[in-house]
Amino acid sequence: MLYDAPTPRQASLLAARTGVAAPRRTPGLELADAAAHSRAIGERLALISSCIEVQRQLMRAEQKVCRAGDRFTHLFVVNSGFYKVVTLSPDGREQIVSFKFRGDWLGLDGIAEGAHGCDVIAMDIGEVWAIPYAALLQACATRPALMAVLHEGM
C-alpha cells in the first residue's frame, strides 16, 4: 500500500494513544508493490483482449469518450492516458466525479439506466478499448475470470 508515512512525532503520538506502533515505510517494498500492481493491470488487460474483440480508440486531450445522455451500448477500458469523469452542476459548472487511469473501466454508470450519466473526457493523448456490452456479457458467461475482472472494475 502506498501512503505517506507519519513523522516520528506523529508515530509516537499514535502509538501512545492507541498502543499500536505505526508501520514503517519501506521504499523498496513500495516499488515492489507498484510493480506488482502494474503487472496485475497488464494481466487484466491481456485477459480482456484475449476473451473479446476490443475496438481500440485513440483519444486526444479534451475529446469525449462518452457524453451524459448518450445511449449505453459499450463499456470502455483505459489502455493508456488518463481521463476525468464529469457532470454538470445545476448552475452549469463542471464537477469532477473521478479520475480514471490505465486498467479502469469507463461507462459503468450507463448500465442501469441505459444511458450514460456523466461525460468522460480525455485529459491527454491515450487509448481506450470500446467493448460492446452484449458481447461482454456473452463472453463473461463462459469465462469466469473475465467476469471477475468486470466485477473488480465495478
Side-chain angles (χ1 to χ4, degrees), residues 112-132:
E113 300 293 325
H116 294 285
C118 297
D119 292 342
V120 178
I121 304 169
M123 296 185 67
D124 199 359
I125 293 174
E127 181 185 79
V128 296
W129 294 351
I131 303 169

Side-chain angles (χ1 to χ4, degrees), residues 87-93 95:
T87 188
L88 292 180
S89 67
D91 63 358
R93 290 180 297 144
Q95 293 180 325

Side-chain angles (χ1 to χ4, degrees), residues 48-107:
I48 292 167
S49 66
S50 70
C51 292
I52 191 164
E53 186 174 332
V54 299
Q55 300 163 5
R56 296 174 184 264
Q57 297 178 355
L58 182 63
M59 306 301 293
R60 290 179 172 52
E62 298 301 317
Q63 188 175 357
K64 291 186 178 179
V65 176
C66 57
R67 292 178 168 84
D70 283 354
R71 191 168 69 91
F72 172 77
T73 57
H74 290 73
L75 284 177
F76 304 88
V77 177
V78 176
N79 185 43
S80 64
F82 54 104
Y83 302 79
K84 62 182 177 181
V85 179
V86 300
T87 188
L88 292 180
S89 67
D91 63 358
R93 290 180 297 144
E94 183 180 272
Q95 293 180 325
I96 296 175
V97 175
S98 65
F99 292 102
K100 301 294 184 178
F101 305 91
R102 185 171 189 248
D104 289 339
W105 290 85
L106 306 171

